[in-house]
Amino acid sequence: MAYFARGNDKVNQLLNKSIKLIFNYFLAPLLFILLSWSLYRQIVHQQDLPERWAHIRNSWSDPVFWIIFFLMFLNWGIESLKWKISLRPLENLSFANAFRSVLSGCSITMLTPNRIGEYGGRILYLKEENRLTAISVNILGSISQLMVTLLLGTIALVVLKESSLSVMPAIREATPWMIGNVLLLIGLCSFLFLLLIYFKVDSVVHLVARLPYSEKVVKHLHVLAGFERKLLLRIFILSFLRYMIFILQYVLMLNVMDVHINTADCFLLIAVFYLVMAIAPTAGFVELPIRALASVQIFGLFSNNILGIQAAAMAIWMINLVVPAIIGSILIFGIKILKEK
């Protein structure tokens, strides 16, 4: 028996080493190549690419551009803190590993629809026995971020439709009544639905537990039942801070690209822009064209600098998504999926 046990141990060790070699020397490089090819395809197929790139390159001499770049690290730092706090009931992850985990998620999410690949990237830094359970924790954090986007985007849309701000005439002339109201209805209903799920997540877990054949699912959701309102509120506040950084980055970038819109109006327009991007189905590998189109449709109502609007959308996309994704794909090279006991 001891002989067969030793034989099984050797087989397991060889299997573990084989999996590590396959991942580190095949899958990780393949991910980096796919990501690079996807980004290249998105960028080279943009209209007026030389003019946009020249616009972005000229902005490098502006100190505000580098403030925007620094805000990217602050943005993902807050998301890493949110991830660390969310995982506390499950696993005590260091801030450094939480930061690496978040960036690794960025690399995979660029290749998947609606960024669902983020989950697969983040859990790589967790203990093997906690990875599936951590997916539910990550989904809860994503819900909190989406709630902020839906809430502030809906409020901005209401203000634009009902107030006497300078944007009002352009909104009435350029936005069909039906589109504006449908967007408002979707945003409001989605927010209320997610609000109920988020702050009643323990009740949702208990409800799922009553369903037949739900044992395998519930065992990975049980951690959510222990999330207290105080913890949920902290996660929501961190999501709000991230959102405000997104807004600030875009306001500054539009000014750097000589797209001059009143600050109050600009805040509302960016909130509506992020609302549209949250509702519209997208995939990371084709997100840039959709961003460019949406930004021109929204900001183009109040500025004739279409090239500047497109350059701002491209620059924000590259700073907030492409740079972290490239860093994350490089970090994945060094991950060991199976750790030695």
Side-chain angles (χ1 to χ4, degrees):
M1 293 293 293
Y3 173 79
F4 286 111
R6 286 194 298 270
N8 288 334
D9 288 340
K10 290 181 179 179
V11 170
N12 289 333
Q13 290 176 2
L14 289 173
L15 181 61
N16 288 347
K17 289 180 179 179
S18 299
I19 293 174
K20 290 177 185 179
L21 288 172
I22 291 172
F23 183 82
N24 287 328
Y25 296 102
F26 178 72
L27 293 183
L30 179 62
L31 171 64
F32 182 79
I33 293 170
L34 288 175
L35 176 63
S36 301
W37 176 248
S38 170
L39 297 176
Y40 170 77
R41 295 279 295 179
Q42 286 191 74
I43 292 173
V44 297
H45 284 88
Q46 294 301 297
Q47 295 181 353
D48 305 321
L49 177 61
E51 292 82 0
R52 290 192 207 178
W53 181 245
H55 216 50
I56 294 173
R57 192 171 60 249
N58 292 336
S59 68
W60 293 351
S61 60
D62 192 331
V64 177
F65 181 91
W66 297 105
I67 293 175
I68 298 169
F69 191 83
F70 168 77
L71 287 173
M72 177 266 291
F73 289 101
L74 180 60
N75 172 17
W76 290 109
I78 293 175
E79 177 62 20
S80 301
L81 179 60
K82 188 174 78 172
W83 179 229
K84 173 180 167 62
I85 292 173
S86 302
L87 284 173
R88 194 168 293 165
L90 182 65
E91 181 177 330
N92 187 19
L93 193 67
S94 67
F95 179 80
N97 277 338
F99 194 79
R100 297 187 188 101
S101 173
V102 167
L103 293 183
S104 297
C106 289
S107 64
I108 297 180
T109 194
M110 292 293 290
L111 300 172
T112 56
N114 288 77
R115 303 186 184 177
I116 59 174
E118 177 185 53
Y119 310 139
R122 289 192 178 196
I123 63 176
L124 297 178
Y125 281 88
L126 304 182
K127 295 177 182 177
E128 188 175 356
E129 62 270 20
N130 294 332
R131 288 173 182 166
L132 289 178
T133 304
I135 293 177
S136 62
V137 176
N138 195 23
I139 292 175
L140 190 68
S142 298
I143 288 176
S144 73
Q145 195 68 56
L146 181 57
M147 284 169 54
V148 174
T149 303
L150 293 172
L151 175 61
L152 295 185
T154 302
I155 292 174
L157 193 57
V158 170
V159 172
L160 289 174
K161 287 171 63 65
E162 303 298 334
S163 74
S164 58
L165 291 173
S166 61
V167 296
M168 190 58 187
I171 285 288
R172 283 180 174 166
E173 292 176 7
T175 305
W177 177 88
M178 183 61 71
I179 293 178
N181 283 275
V182 168
L183 186 61
L184 181 60
L185 183 62
I186 293 175
L188 181 60
C189 291
S190 300
F191 169 74
L192 294 176
F193 175 72
L194 293 177
L195 180 67
L196 181 63
I197 292 178
Y198 185 74
F199 284 105
K200 287 290 186 179
V201 66
D202 54 340
S203 300
V204 173
V205 174
H206 294 317
L207 181 63
V208 173
R210 295 179 182 178
L211 299 176
Y213 311 108
S214 62
E215 294 84 1
K216 292 183 179 181
V217 176
V218 172
K219 72 177 183 179
H220 298 301
L221 296 178
H222 72 279
V223 66
L224 301 181
F227 275 54
E228 299 178 352
R229 295 284 177 86
K230 184 178 180 181
L231 177 58
L232 292 171
L233 187 59
R234 288 183 67 187
I235 295 171
F236 184 80
I237 291 173
L238 289 173
S239 297
F240 176 79
L241 291 176
R242 279 197 73 206
Y243 183 87
M244 296 308 296
I245 291 176
F246 282 132
I247 295 288
L248 177 59
Q249 282 181 302
Y250 221 125
V251 170
L252 294 176
M253 186 62 75
L254 287 170
N255 277 278
V256 169
M257 300 299 175
D258 295 320
V259 181
H260 302 295
I261 303 174
N262 177 276
T263 303
D265 297 350
C266 193
F267 179 94
L268 296 172
L269 293 171
I270 295 171
V272 173
F273 169 78
Y274 281 126
L275 174 65
V276 172
M277 292 302 300
I279 294 176
T282 60
F285 50 84
V286 294
E287 186 171 325
L288 180 56
I290 297 174
R291 278 177 168 262
L293 177 62
S295 63
V296 170
Q297 292 296 318
I298 294 173
F299 301 113
L301 300 174
F302 316 104
S303 174
N304 295 323
N305 186 2
I306 302 302
L307 181 61
I309 293 171
Q310 293 176 332
M314 184 174 176
I316 288 292
W317 176 76
M318 293 184 69
I319 290 174
N320 282 343
L321 294 175
V322 175
V323 173
I326 292 174
I327 296 174
S329 65
I330 295 173
L331 288 174
I332 287 181
F333 274 106
I335 293 177
K336 293 183 178 180
I337 296 298
L338 300 176
K339 296 181 179 179
E340 295 290 342
K341 293 183 179 180

Coordinates of all heavy atoms in Angstrom, one line a residue, residues 94-144:
S94 N -3.0 40.3 0.9 CA -2.2 41.5 1.1 C -2.6 42.5 0.0 O -3.1 42.1 -1.1 CB -0.7 41.3 1.0 OG -0.4 40.8 -0.3
F95 N -2.4 43.8 0.3 CA -2.8 44.8 -0.7 C -2.0 44.6 -2.0 O -2.5 44.8 -3.1 CB -2.5 46.2 -0.2 CG -2.8 47.3 -1.1 CD1 -4.2 47.7 -1.3 CD2 -1.8 47.9 -1.9 CE1 -4.5 48.7 -2.2 CE2 -2.2 48.9 -2.8 CZ -3.5 49.3 -3.0
A96 N -0.7 44.3 -1.9 CA 0.1 44.1 -3.1 C -0.4 43.0 -4.0 O -0.5 43.1 -5.2 CB 1.6 43.8 -2.7
N97 N -0.8 41.8 -3.3 CA -1.4 40.8 -4.1 C -2.8 41.1 -4.7 O -3.2 40.7 -5.7 CB -1.4 39.5 -3.3 CG -0.1 38.7 -3.3 OD1 0.7 38.9 -4.2 ND2 0.1 37.9 -2.3
A98 N -3.5 41.9 -3.9 CA -4.8 42.4 -4.4 C -4.6 43.2 -5.6 O -5.4 43.1 -6.6 CB -5.5 43.1 -3.3
F99 N -3.6 44.1 -5.6 CA -3.3 44.9 -6.8 C -3.0 44.1 -8.0 O -3.4 44.3 -9.1 CB -2.2 45.9 -6.4 CG -2.1 47.1 -7.4 CD1 -3.0 48.1 -7.3 CD2 -1.1 47.1 -8.3 CE1 -2.9 49.2 -8.2 CE2 -1.0 48.1 -9.2 CZ -1.9 49.2 -9.1
R100 N -2.1 43.1 -7.8 CA -1.7 42.2 -8.9 C -2.9 41.4 -9.4 O -3.0 41.2 -10.6 CB -0.6 41.3 -8.4 CG 0.7 41.9 -8.0 CD 1.8 40.9 -7.7 NE 3.0 41.4 -7.1 CZ 3.3 41.4 -5.8 NH1 2.4 40.8 -5.0 NH2 4.4 42.0 -5.3
S101 N -3.7 41.0 -8.4 CA -4.9 40.2 -8.8 C -5.9 41.1 -9.7 O -6.4 40.6 -10.7 CB -5.6 39.8 -7.5 OG -6.9 39.2 -7.8
V102 N -6.1 42.3 -9.3 CA -6.9 43.2 -10.1 C -6.4 43.5 -11.5 O -7.1 43.4 -12.5 CB -7.2 44.5 -9.3 CG1 -7.8 45.6 -10.2 CG2 -8.0 44.3 -8.1
L103 N -5.1 43.7 -11.6 CA -4.5 43.9 -12.9 C -4.5 42.7 -13.8 O -4.7 42.8 -15.0 CB -3.0 44.4 -12.7 CG -2.9 45.8 -12.1 CD1 -1.4 46.2 -12.1 CD2 -3.7 46.9 -12.8
S104 N -4.3 41.5 -13.2 CA -4.4 40.3 -13.9 C -5.8 40.1 -14.5 O -6.0 39.6 -15.6 CB -4.1 39.1 -13.0 OG -2.7 39.2 -12.6
G105 N -6.8 40.5 -13.7 CA -8.2 40.5 -14.2 C -8.4 41.4 -15.4 O -9.2 41.0 -16.3
C106 N -7.7 42.5 -15.4 CA -7.8 43.5 -16.5 C -7.4 42.8 -17.8 O -7.9 43.1 -18.9 CB -7.0 44.7 -16.2 SG -7.7 45.8 -14.9
S107 N -6.3 42.0 -17.7 CA -5.7 41.5 -18.9 C -6.7 40.5 -19.6 O -6.9 40.5 -20.8 CB -4.4 40.8 -18.6 OG -4.6 39.7 -17.8
I108 N -7.4 39.7 -18.8 CA -8.3 38.7 -19.3 C -9.6 39.3 -19.8 O -10.2 38.9 -20.7 CB -8.5 37.5 -18.3 CG1 -7.2 36.8 -18.0 CG2 -9.5 36.5 -18.8 CD1 -7.3 35.7 -17.1
T109 N -10.0 40.3 -19.0 CA -11.3 40.9 -19.3 C -11.3 41.6 -20.7 O -12.4 41.8 -21.3 CB -11.7 41.9 -18.2 OG1 -13.1 42.3 -18.3 CG2 -10.9 43.2 -18.3
M110 N -10.2 42.0 -21.2 CA -10.1 42.7 -22.5 C -10.5 41.7 -23.6 O -10.8 42.1 -24.7 CB -8.7 43.2 -22.7 CG -8.4 44.4 -21.8 SD -9.4 45.9 -22.2 CE -8.8 46.4 -23.8
L111 N -10.5 40.4 -23.3 CA -10.7 39.4 -24.4 C -12.1 38.8 -24.3 O -12.4 37.8 -25.0 CB -9.7 38.3 -24.3 CG -8.2 38.8 -24.5 CD1 -7.2 37.6 -24.3 CD2 -8.0 39.3 -26.0
T112 N -12.9 39.2 -23.3 CA -14.2 38.6 -23.1 C -15.4 39.6 -23.1 O -15.2 40.8 -22.9 CB -14.2 37.9 -21.7 OG1 -13.9 38.9 -20.7 CG2 -13.2 36.8 -21.6
P113 N -16.6 39.1 -23.5 CA -17.8 40.0 -23.5 C -18.1 40.5 -22.1 O -18.1 39.8 -21.1 CB -18.9 39.1 -24.1 CG -18.2 37.9 -24.6 CD -16.9 37.7 -23.9
N114 N -18.5 41.8 -22.1 CA -18.9 42.5 -20.9 C -18.0 42.2 -19.7 O -18.4 42.2 -18.5 CB -20.3 42.0 -20.5 CG -21.4 42.6 -21.4 OD1 -21.5 42.2 -22.6 ND2 -22.1 43.7 -21.0
R115 N -16.7 42.0 -20.0 CA -15.6 41.9 -19.0 C -15.8 40.7 -18.0 O -15.4 40.8 -16.8 CB -15.5 43.2 -18.2 CG -15.2 44.4 -19.1 CD -15.0 45.6 -18.3 NE -14.8 46.7 -19.3 CZ -14.6 48.0 -18.9 NH1 -14.5 48.3 -17.6 NH2 -14.4 48.9 -19.8
I116 N -16.5 39.6 -18.4 CA -16.7 38.5 -17.5 C -15.4 37.8 -17.2 O -15.3 37.1 -16.2 CB -17.7 37.5 -18.1 CG1 -17.3 37.0 -19.4 CG2 -19.1 38.2 -18.2 CD1 -18.2 35.9 -20.0
G117 N -14.4 37.9 -18.1 CA -13.1 37.3 -17.8 C -12.4 37.8 -16.6 O -11.4 37.2 -16.2
E118 N -12.8 39.0 -16.1 CA -12.2 39.6 -15.0 C -12.1 38.6 -13.8 O -11.1 38.5 -13.1 CB -12.9 40.8 -14.6 CG -12.4 41.5 -13.3 CD -13.3 42.7 -12.9 OE1 -14.5 42.4 -12.8 OE2 -12.8 43.8 -12.7
Y119 N -13.2 37.8 -13.6 CA -13.2 36.9 -12.5 C -12.1 35.8 -12.6 O -11.4 35.5 -11.6 CB -14.6 36.1 -12.5 CG -15.8 37.1 -12.6 CD1 -16.9 36.8 -13.4 CD2 -15.8 38.3 -11.9 CE1 -18.0 37.6 -13.5 CE2 -16.9 39.2 -12.0 CZ -18.0 38.8 -12.8 OH -19.0 39.7 -12.9
G120 N -11.9 35.3 -13.8 CA -10.9 34.3 -14.0 C -9.5 34.8 -13.7 O -8.6 34.1 -13.3
G121 N -9.2 36.1 -14.0 CA -7.9 36.7 -13.8 C -7.7 36.9 -12.3 O -6.6 36.7 -11.8
R122 N -8.7 37.4 -11.6 CA -8.5 37.8 -10.2 C -8.2 36.6 -9.3 O -7.4 36.7 -8.4 CB -9.7 38.6 -9.7 CG -9.8 39.9 -10.3 CD -10.8 40.8 -9.5 NE -10.9 42.1 -10.1 CZ -11.5 43.1 -9.4 NH1 -12.1 42.9 -8.3 NH2 -11.6 44.3 -10.0
I123 N -8.9 35.5 -9.5 CA -8.8 34.4 -8.6 C -7.5 33.6 -8.7 O -7.2 32.8 -7.8 CB -10.0 33.4 -8.8 CG1 -9.9 32.8 -10.2 CG2 -11.3 34.1 -8.6 CD1 -11.0 31.7 -10.4
L124 N -6.7 34.0 -9.6 CA -5.4 33.3 -9.8 C -4.5 33.5 -8.6 O -3.6 32.7 -8.3 CB -4.7 33.7 -11.1 CG -5.4 33.4 -12.4 CD1 -4.6 34.0 -13.6 CD2 -5.6 31.9 -12.6
Y125 N -4.7 34.6 -7.8 CA -3.8 34.9 -6.7 C -4.3 34.4 -5.4 O -3.7 34.6 -4.3 CB -3.6 36.4 -6.6 CG -2.6 36.9 -7.6 CD1 -3.0 37.3 -8.9 CD2 -1.2 37.0 -7.3 CE1 -2.1 37.8 -9.8 CE2 -0.3 37.5 -8.2 CZ -0.7 37.9 -9.5 OH 0.2 38.3 -10.4
L126 N -5.5 33.7 -5.4 CA -6.1 33.2 -4.2 C -5.7 31.7 -4.0 O -5.3 31.0 -4.9 CB -7.6 33.3 -4.3 CG -8.1 34.7 -4.6 CD1 -9.7 34.7 -4.6 CD2 -7.6 35.7 -3.6
K127 N -6.0 31.3 -2.8 CA -5.8 29.8 -2.5 C -6.8 29.0 -3.4 O -7.9 29.4 -3.6 CB -6.0 29.6 -1.0 CG -5.0 30.3 -0.1 CD -5.4 30.0 1.4 CE -4.4 30.7 2.3 NZ -4.8 30.6 3.7
E128 N -6.3 27.9 -3.8 CA -7.1 27.1 -4.7 C -8.5 26.7 -4.2 O -9.5 26.8 -4.9 CB -6.3 25.8 -5.0 CG -7.0 24.9 -6.1 CD -6.1 23.7 -6.5 OE1 -5.0 23.6 -5.9 OE2 -6.6 22.9 -7.3
E129 N -8.6 26.5 -2.9 CA -9.9 26.1 -2.3 C -10.9 27.3 -2.2 O -12.1 27.1 -2.0 CB -9.7 25.5 -0.9 CG -9.1 26.4 0.1 CD -7.6 26.3 0.2 OE1 -7.0 25.9 -0.8 OE2 -7.0 26.7 1.2
N130 N -10.4 28.5 -2.4 CA -11.2 29.7 -2.2 C -11.6 30.3 -3.6 O -12.4 31.3 -3.6 CB -10.5 30.8 -1.4 CG -10.3 30.4 0.0 OD1 -11.1 29.6 0.6 ND2 -9.3 30.9 0.7
R131 N -11.1 29.8 -4.7 CA -11.2 30.5 -6.0 C -12.7 30.5 -6.5 O -13.1 31.6 -6.9 CB -10.3 29.8 -7.0 CG -8.8 30.1 -6.8 CD -7.9 29.3 -7.7 NE -6.5 29.6 -7.4 CZ -5.5 28.9 -7.8 NH1 -5.7 27.8 -8.6 NH2 -4.3 29.2 -7.5
L132 N -13.4 29.4 -6.4 CA -14.7 29.4 -6.9 C -15.6 30.3 -6.0 O -16.5 31.1 -6.5 CB -15.3 28.0 -7.0 CG -14.7 27.1 -8.1 CD1 -15.3 25.7 -8.0 CD2 -14.9 27.7 -9.5
T133 N -15.4 30.3 -4.7 CA -16.2 31.1 -3.8 C -15.9 32.6 -4.0 O -16.8 33.4 -3.9 CB -15.9 30.7 -2.4 OG1 -16.1 29.3 -2.2 CG2 -16.8 31.5 -1.4
A134 N -14.7 32.9 -4.4 CA -14.3 34.3 -4.6 C -15.0 34.9 -5.8 O -15.1 36.1 -5.9 CB -12.8 34.4 -4.7
I135 N -15.5 34.1 -6.7 CA -16.2 34.6 -7.9 C -17.4 35.3 -7.5 O -17.8 36.4 -8.0 CB -16.5 33.5 -8.9 CG1 -15.2 32.9 -9.5 CG2 -17.4 34.0 -10.0 CD1 -15.4 31.7 -10.4
S136 N -18.2 34.8 -6.5 CA -19.4 35.4 -6.0 C -19.0 36.7 -5.3 O -19.8 37.7 -5.4 CB -20.1 34.5 -5.0 OG -19.3 34.2 -3.9
V137 N -17.9 36.8 -4.6 CA -17.5 38.0 -3.9 C -17.2 39.1 -5.0 O -17.5 40.3 -4.8 CB -16.2 37.8 -3.1 CG1 -15.7 39.1 -2.5 CG2 -16.6 36.8 -2.0
N138 N -16.5 38.7 -6.1 CA -16.2 39.6 -7.1 C -17.5 40.1 -7.8 O -17.5 41.3 -8.2 CB -15.3 38.9 -8.2 CG -14.6 39.9 -9.1 OD1 -14.5 41.1 -8.7 ND2 -14.2 39.5 -10.2
I139 N -18.4 39.3 -8.0 CA -19.7 39.7 -8.6 C -20.4 40.7 -7.7 O -20.9 41.7 -8.3 CB -20.6 38.5 -8.8 CG1 -20.0 37.6 -9.9 CG2 -22.0 38.9 -9.2 CD1 -20.8 36.3 -10.1
L140 N -20.3 40.5 -6.4 CA -20.9 41.5 -5.5 C -20.3 42.9 -5.6 O -20.9 43.9 -5.7 CB -20.9 41.0 -4.1 CG -21.7 41.8 -3.1 CD1 -23.2 41.6 -3.3 CD2 -21.3 41.4 -1.6
G141 N -18.9 42.9 -5.7 CA -18.2 44.1 -5.9 C -18.5 44.8 -7.3 O -18.7 46.0 -7.3
S142 N -18.7 44.0 -8.3 CA -19.1 44.5 -9.6 C -20.5 45.1 -9.6 O -20.8 46.2 -10.2 CB -19.0 43.4 -10.7 OG -17.7 42.9 -10.8
I143 N -21.4 44.5 -8.8 CA -22.7 45.0 -8.7 C -22.7 46.4 -8.0 O -23.4 47.3 -8.4 CB -23.6 44.1 -7.8 CG1 -23.9 42.8 -8.7 CG2 -24.9 44.7 -7.4 CD1 -24.7 41.7 -7.9
S144 N -21.9 46.6 -7.0 CA -21.8 47.9 -6.3 C -21.3 49.0 -7.3 O -21.8 50.1 -7.2 CB -20.8 47.8 -5.1 OG -19.5 47.7 -5.5

